[in-house]
Amino acid sequence: ARLIAAGMQQLYQTVRATGAKNLIVISGLNYASRPPTAFVAGDDIAYGGHIYTCPTGPPPGCTRSNPLDPSPVLDRWLDIAKTYPLVISEFGWPNGASGAYNANVVTYCESHHWSWSGFAWDGGTGGLFDLVQQHLASDNTTIEPNPAGMPIVSGFAANWPAQP
C-alpha cells in the first residue's frame, strides 16, 4: 500500500482551521539541522533549527574538525532569518561537564538577534545532553545546572526583562 503524507502547508492549514492563532514553529530538514526548501504561507510562523556539531557523543567520538564551533551549522540559517522569524529551538553538547559549545551557540544567536532554547533539562538523569546537575529541593522544583547548562541560564538571565 502506498502511504501519502500531509505537507507542512496542509498541516498548517489544518491547525488554523480549528481557530488556533498560536505561533507555529516549523522545523527544518534533516532533524531540523537544515532550513526547509519550501516555505509555508500564513501568519504567526517561525522556523526552527536544531544545532548540533556532535549529536552522538563528545570527541574523540565526534570527528568534526572544530566541534565547539557551531557557526557552520548556524550559518545555514542566515538567509532564511533575513525573511522569516527564526528560533534555534534545540541545541546542546553531549557532555554536561563543558559549557563551551552552548556558550558559543548562545553568543552566535544573540549576535544575530535570534531566539534560542537549549536542550534538555532532563532533571539530573545523566542523559547525553542533560543540563541539570542536581535537584536542590526535595520537591524537585529547584535545580542546579551543570557546566553545560550554565551558559543557557546566564544567557536567559541576561536577556530577561528587568522587573519594576
Side-chain angles (χ1 to χ4, degrees), residues 27-37 39 47-55 64 66-67 69-88 90 101 108-109 112 114:
S27 295
L29 305 171
N30 195 26
Y31 298 99
S33 68
R34 296 185 177 280
T37 55
F39 300 100
Y47 287 89
H50 296 179
I51 311 301
Y52 295 94
T53 57
C54 295
R64 289 227 181 205
N66 189 359
D69 179 9
S71 62
V73 183
L74 287 161
D75 287 349
R76 298 173 185 165
W77 295 90
L78 288 169
D79 285 339
I80 191 174
K82 292 176 185 174
T83 307
Y84 300 98
L86 176 66
V87 57
I88 300 306
E90 190 177 301
Y101 177 79
Y108 187 104
C109 290
H112 289 84
W114 296 350

Side-chain angles (χ1 to χ4, degrees), residues 106-121:
V106 169
T107 299
Y108 187 104
C109 290
E110 293 294 317
S111 72
H112 289 84
H113 306 286
W114 296 350
S115 298
W116 53 268
S117 177
F119 178 81
W121 298 100

Side-chain angles (χ1 to χ4, degrees), residues 67-70 91 93 95-107 147-149 151:
L68 294 175
D69 179 9
F91 65 92
W93 183 251
N95 180 341
S98 173
Y101 177 79
N102 289 339
N104 291 340
V105 173
V106 169
T107 299

